[in-house]
Each structure stands twice: as structure tokens, then as C-alpha cells.
Amino acid sequence: MSANTPTSLSQDALARLAAVIESRKPAAGGDPSASYVAKLLAKGPDAFLKKIGEEATEVVMAAKDADHGGDATKIVYEVADLWFHSMIALAHYGLTPADVIAELERREGTSGIEEKALRKLAAREGGAV
């Protein structure tokens, strides 16, 4: 993959955003009075998890609107908000977008039905897939 492919540019953008989020953690000196990210992180998981739920609902609503003649580009706006807040959760738990990308790559070429069955099997056996 060349350095300027859409995938590498996307990963770079996610990595840059993840770095900003990391810098806003209270432990890194993030100021809740000056940073939305720092404010959410300082409030703890309930705050950013609530935002993830709200943003997921807004994605659904935008998609439903698009199904009835609404502007489909609003889905992109809402998914961006969902991803952003999900990235805050990732940072809180010591994870990165690269971890998510690695998981998606691991699943590449595996049917969704097969992947779900493997996860159920692993859960029953007490392991992780």
C-alpha cells in the first residue's frame, strides 16, 4: 500500500485524532474547563458512554430520515460523531483506532455469520475470539 492511499490517509487521520484525545486526558494535563474531551473523560465512563448511545441513536435516525427522502449525507455527520465519542472510550480503556483496524483486518474474509458463531462458541467455552 502506498503512503497516499485512502486507507493509509484514513488511518493517519484516526491516529492524529487519537493523539489529540490522548493529550486531553486529565492524566496528560487535559483541562476540563478548556476541552470537551477532557471534560467527558473527567466525568468518567458514564458521560462518554451516554454520548455514544446518543450518537448511535442519531445515526439510526439519520438513516431512517434518508430512507424517507432526507439528506443521506447527514448519516456521515452522525457517524463521525459516533466514531469520535467511541474513540474517547477507546482512549479511556487504553485502546486505539489501530486496535479496531487490526480486529477488522482479522475478520476480513470471514463471513459475518461465521464470525458471530465463533464469538458465541468462545463465550460458551470461556475464551476469546
Side-chain angles (χ1 to χ4, degrees):
M1 175 183 330
S2 77
N4 291 321
T5 64
T7 302
S8 67
L9 294 174
S10 299
Q11 288 175 5
D12 289 347
L14 290 173
R16 287 191 305 273
L17 179 55
V20 169
I21 291 169
E22 280 293 322
S23 75
R24 304 287 164 73
K25 284 182 167 181
D31 179 1
S33 68
S35 164
Y36 174 72
V37 171
K39 183 177 178 179
L40 278 179
L41 288 168
K43 286 182 176 182
D46 285 350
F48 59 78
L49 295 174
K50 179 180 176 186
K51 286 301 296 179
I52 290 170
E54 290 172 7
E55 298 304 342
T57 299
E58 290 175 11
V59 169
V60 171
M61 291 171 25
K64 289 287 197 179
D65 287 347
D67 284 339
H68 298 289
D71 182 0
T73 61
K74 289 184 180 179
I75 299 168
V76 172
Y77 179 82
E78 298 302 344
V79 169
D81 287 347
L82 177 59
W83 285 14
F84 174 75
H85 288 90
S86 295
M87 288 178 66
I88 293 171
L90 288 172
H92 174 80
Y93 295 107
L95 302 166
T96 68
D99 295 319
V100 177
I101 291 167
E103 175 60 15
L104 291 171
E105 288 173 341
R106 184 191 68 77
R107 295 180 187 186
E108 190 174 3
T110 304
S111 116
I113 294 169
E114 181 182 346
E115 175 64 25
K116 187 173 181 178
L118 289 171
R119 281 186 275 145
K120 281 184 179 180
L121 179 63
R124 276 188 296 227
E125 294 176 353
V129 171

